[in-house]
Amino acid sequence: MKNKIKKYAAIGTIAIMGLLLANTAVEKTVTLISDTDTSCVTVYSGGEKTVGRCDNEYKLAEKYETDAEIYEDIQDNQFSTPIIETMINDGYLLGYVDQLKAEGWIPQDFTPAGSKPSSTAQTETKAEPPADNQASSSETKEQPKTETKTETKTETKAEPTQEEIDAAWEETERTEATCTEDGKIVYTNSITGDTKEESIPAAGHDYEVTETADATCTEDGTNTYTCKVCGDTYEEAIPATGHTEGEWKVTKEAGLFSTGSKEVTCEKCGEVLDAEEIPQTCPLPLAVVIGVVVAVVVIIGAIVVLVRRRKNI
Ligand SMILES: [Zn+2]
Ligand SMILES: [Zn+2]
């Protein structure tokens, strides 16, 4: 039994060892491949680097790498002098021209073709070295970097089109109109910063009758109007209606020798509007009647006296 276990253990270890060996072999091949990749040797002739191992791929570098990364690639011997010059002429690495000259990657008399920003950067940096010469080599290294950066910034700032400006108006302030005063809306253009105003016309009051004091026969009444929106009020007079005459009414019947009375009042408020006297029913005044009676009695008495005297004779 024990032997069997030992056997298996031995087989196991051998298998593991085999695997490990295979692994290192793979690693070795990998390093080999990468070695061949890096083994593209740069050939020096007459101070220039005539062959770079990634010369064929410089277009990719232009497309996908920043100037700083391409510069690192150059330090890594990936590009030859003609290719570096081509890339500069394509408009890349313009900020590194002086550095590359100082380090001998491109000849001192090399001038980038075309592209304005490079020429200005060059003339400026070229003017400096003679004054301070080699002591200021670190300065000249850094200067072009910042210059090219600001230049590209101004170039990418495209002028906004009129359509974009027209679409950039936004409402930034609003004052609502009241019943009596106009409101306004302020629009600000987010691109140009200009402002413009639009007025909102005043709506006017919206009145309703909220209180009524009725007019009487003799006194005016009032309607009170209140604005539903702002509460402003005003009063409007209701003219007095005036009395309405009713029918004449007898207040005291006339007697044979006494007068009566009658009056007319307002149907609504009962005020006596007019009163009149009713004459006595007998057409002759009382004194006249008494006078007549007295006269008749006197005449009868006289006749009686005269008749008695004639009988005595
Ligand atoms: Zn109002
Ligand atoms: Zn009345």
Side-chain angles (χ1 to χ4, degrees):
M1 268 302 266
K2 269 191 179 176
N3 277 342
K4 250 189 177 177
I5 292 166
K6 269 185 184 172
K7 235 184 183 178
Y8 282 125
I11 291 164
T13 43
I14 288 163
I16 290 163
M17 291 275 275
L19 274 172
L20 282 171
L21 276 169
N23 243 358
T24 45
V26 169
E27 270 171 28
K28 265 186 186 167
T29 46
V30 168
T31 44
L32 263 174
I33 291 162
S34 55
D35 269 350
T36 46
D37 193 38
T38 43
S39 67
C40 304
V41 190
T42 313
V43 182
Y44 293 82
S45 84
E48 285 190 5
K49 284 85 179 171
T50 48
V51 179
R53 68 176 191 277
C54 297
D55 279 357
N56 299 334
E57 291 154 25
Y58 83 92
K59 283 273 179 200
L60 289 172
E62 285 183 348
K63 209 171 181 186
Y64 297 111
E65 291 188 358
T66 62
D67 282 359
E69 283 165 348
I70 298 173
Y71 177 73
E72 272 176 33
D73 291 345
I74 292 167
Q75 302 293 313
D76 193 30
N77 289 330
Q78 289 189 23
F79 299 114
S80 65
T81 300
I83 294 297
I84 297 168
E85 288 175 349
T86 310
M87 285 195 282
I88 294 168
N89 288 335
D90 286 349
Y92 298 92
L93 290 165
L94 295 169
Y96 292 90
V97 171
D98 289 284
Q99 262 167 281
L100 293 168
K101 278 184 187 173
E103 288 162 11
W105 292 103
I106 48 173
Q108 291 297 320
D109 56 353
F110 173 74
T111 348
S115 71
K116 270 186 179 178
S118 66
S119 63
T120 51
Q122 256 232 330
T123 46
E124 273 170 38
T125 45
K126 255 189 178 174
E128 261 182 71
D132 231 15
N133 221 350
Q134 273 153 5
S136 64
S137 62
S138 60
E139 265 177 47
T140 46
K141 265 183 190 174
E142 278 166 28
Q143 257 200 337
K145 262 189 198 172
T146 49
E147 267 175 39
T148 43
K149 265 185 188 171
T150 50
E151 271 162 18
T152 45
K153 261 186 190 173
T154 48
E155 271 170 29
T156 49
K157 233 187 200 174
E159 280 292 313
T161 64
Q162 190 59 41
E163 266 184 14
E164 285 169 336
I165 293 172
D166 288 346
W169 289 103
E170 283 167 10
E171 181 182 323
T172 48
E173 196 188 320
R174 175 183 278 260
T175 313
E176 292 298 343
T178 65
C179 295
T180 51
E181 284 188 16
D182 290 351
K184 66 173 180 178
I185 305 170
V186 178
Y187 296 94
T188 307
N189 193 296
S190 58
I191 293 174
T192 61
D194 291 343
T195 57
K196 63 176 179 184
E197 282 185 21
E198 193 176 278
S199 104
I200 308 168
H205 294 296
D206 185 9
Y207 286 111
E208 61 178 349
V209 177
T210 50
E211 204 185 318
T212 305
D214 288 328
T216 65
C217 299
T218 51
E219 287 192 8
D220 288 351
T222 49
N223 269 328
T224 306
Y225 292 87
T226 308
C227 175
K228 286 182 205 169
V229 183
C230 70
D232 182 63
T233 62
Y234 76 95
E235 286 185 350
E236 200 176 71
I238 307 168
T241 55
H243 295 297
T244 310
E245 252 182 43
E247 284 178 9
W248 284 92
K249 275 178 189 166
V250 175
T251 48
K252 191 189 165 194
E253 289 291 348
L256 194 59
F257 296 109
S258 64
T259 56
S261 65
K262 60 177 181 179
E263 63 184 21
V264 65
T265 56
C266 172
E267 272 183 348
K268 287 184 286 183
C269 70
E271 195 179 306
V272 178
L273 303 173
D274 202 1
E276 271 179 23
E277 199 176 64
I278 306 170
Q280 61 179 34
T281 48
C282 177
L284 295 170
L286 185 58
V288 174
V289 175
I290 292 170
V292 170
V293 170
V294 170
V296 169
V297 170
V298 170
I299 291 164
I300 291 169
I303 291 166
V304 170
V305 171
L306 283 173
V307 172
R308 275 185 185 170
R309 275 182 188 175
R310 271 186 191 172
K311 276 180 181 175
N312 291 334
I313 293 169

